[in-house]
Amino acid sequence: MKIIGGSASQMLARSLAQELGADLAPTVSKLFPDGECYVRIEDDLDGEEIVLVQTTHPNDKFVEILIIMDAIREFEITSLTTVIPYFGYARQDKKFNTGEAISARAMARHIQLQSDKIITVDIHNPDVLRWFDVPTHDVSGMPRLAEYFKGLEQPPEIILAPDEGAKHRAVEVASILGCESDYLKKHRIDGTTVEMKSKSLNVDTKRVAIVDDIISTGGTIVKATESLKAQGASSVLAACTHGLYANNALERLEKVCDSVVSTDTLETATSKVSVAKGVAKAIRK
Ligand code: R5P
């Protein structure tokens, strides 16, 4: 087996190669002066089972994955498993308005053309996987975040999801940590003020962690953290699988949260947790 890491997923590709005891195939990926992408695999892939790791965000990383796949298919490989740690466009998973594209489907249709198996990590809506005609597996990053929490000097005492739909993630983390979990509910105080409150737990004097799949603008977590602190939480740790941090979100988060952590599905200053273990397990299946 050989691992190929696209330019968006070098960290994870290295960890995955280590986890699987496989070689990382040296690959050059660069941009021409006009911005077009150039890829060259500097290894012999003939007769190999290949695992390609590449997040498809931002847009140029999607173009790159298509080009890497083409380079891989120039060899006589036995199979190609494509790991998409952060699957860009997964949130446009239906037509919210007439005339819109189902962007997640458009992306899936192209990626699957060259893949024998697809592995994603905490894909926003698992229903998106039905658009791949090849076997798929979505890996949860929550056990890895839970392990990270466990290793802290003062682990969180309460795990909260930002909304009811994400409750399962908080439950998954809390069951590993052996602590309580809940989800946040919005309460309108007046025309301009909205407070977020744990549905049934008292956070006063407690160390709290909020877990989510994605932090994008950070709006949800900033609001939640401010509310939880006002309710007496002694600390608030923000954790997510995919740290997108649009519009300087990280700066805003660091002003209100005690710490911010994410996984290596997107390589950022907060990628302190690797999802390699879960991805390796899905590859071995
Ligand atoms: C929403 O459904 C997702 O799970 C995240 O809660 C959302 O993407 C976070 O967005 P933002 O960071 O912009 O508040």
Side-chain angles (χ1 to χ4, degrees):
M1 178 185 284
K2 288 203 172 168
I3 314 293
I4 295 186
S7 67
S9 300
Q10 292 284 300
M11 262 169 75
L12 180 54
R14 272 197 302 276
S15 305
L16 194 57
Q18 219 170 1
E19 194 72 39
L20 291 164
D23 287 338
L24 197 57
T27 305
V28 173
S29 176
K30 57 186 184 188
L31 294 179
F32 286 113
D34 60 5
E36 291 185 358
C37 173
Y38 168 88
V39 164
R40 178 160 180 247
I41 296 164
E42 296 179 324
D43 203 349
D44 182 8
L45 306 186
D46 285 350
E48 296 282 352
E49 195 183 326
I50 303 300
V51 175
L52 166 62
V53 192
Q54 169 79 332
T55 270
T56 55
H57 173 92
N59 290 342
D60 57 329
K61 305 300 178 193
F62 179 77
V63 174
E64 187 186 308
I65 199 174
L66 300 182
I67 294 175
I68 300 177
M69 283 173 162
D70 195 74
I72 292 172
R73 288 293 181 186
E74 279 295 304
F75 296 90
E76 299 286 323
I77 63 167
T78 57
S79 66
L80 173 57
T81 297
T82 305
V83 180
I84 314 169
Y86 174 67
F87 185 74
Y89 291 93
R91 284 178 293 175
Q92 181 73 27
D93 56 354
K94 57 174 161 290
K95 272 191 218 178
F96 298 91
N97 296 293
T98 316
E100 285 178 349
I102 302 178
S103 312
R105 181 182 62 192
M107 299 296 148
R109 281 179 174 164
H110 285 88
I111 290 168
Q112 68 163 18
L113 287 175
Q114 303 287 356
S115 308
D116 299 302
K117 182 178 175 183
I118 303 279
I119 296 173
T120 54
V121 182
D122 282 331
I123 194 157
H124 183 63
N125 174 4
D127 283 353
V128 163
L129 298 175
R130 73 181 186 276
W131 287 312
F132 292 103
D133 287 334
V134 294
T136 57
H137 188 103
D138 187 52
V139 173
S140 172
M142 296 302 127
R144 306 287 86 78
L145 289 174
E147 279 168 11
Y148 171 82
F149 293 162
K150 257 190 176 173
L152 296 175
E153 216 167 285
Q154 295 204 301
E157 300 160 294
I158 292 178
I159 310 295
L160 295 176
D163 56 52
E164 191 172 6
K167 194 173 75 175
H168 63 284
R169 299 191 210 281
V171 170
E172 195 179 352
V173 173
S175 69
I176 296 170
L177 273 180
C179 68
E180 290 185 293
S181 68
D182 198 6
Y183 65 92
L184 290 160
K185 276 199 82 155
K186 282 184 184 160
H187 296 270
R188 184 157 288 285
I189 311 288
D190 55 45
T192 54
T193 325
V194 175
E195 181 197 48
M196 288 172 89
K197 222 173 169 185
S198 164
K199 169 110 189 336
S200 50
L201 297 176
N202 184 354
V203 298
D204 192 21
T205 72
K206 300 287 185 193
R207 296 187 300 271
V208 177
I210 309 171
V211 294
D212 208 352
D213 58 341
I214 304 170
I215 299 180
S216 182
T217 64
T220 312
I221 303 278
V222 167
K223 180 85 246 164
T225 303
E226 285 169 349
S227 293
L228 292 166
K229 290 263 175 107
Q231 289 150 32
S234 63
S235 63
V236 178
L237 193 167
C240 67
T241 308
H242 314 295
L244 273 177
Y245 307 135
N247 307 334
N248 297 324
L250 192 51
E251 262 174 49
R252 275 176 283 115
L253 285 161
E254 282 172 338
K255 275 189 193 141
V256 291
C257 302
D258 293 84
S259 68
V260 184
V261 63
S262 66
T263 77
D264 52 1
T265 61
L266 287 156
E267 295 179 3
T268 72
T270 65
S271 306
K272 295 173 194 156
V273 174
S274 180
V275 295
K277 202 161 144 188
V279 173
K281 205 166 151 198
I283 289 170
R284 286 196 204 101
K285 263 193 182 167

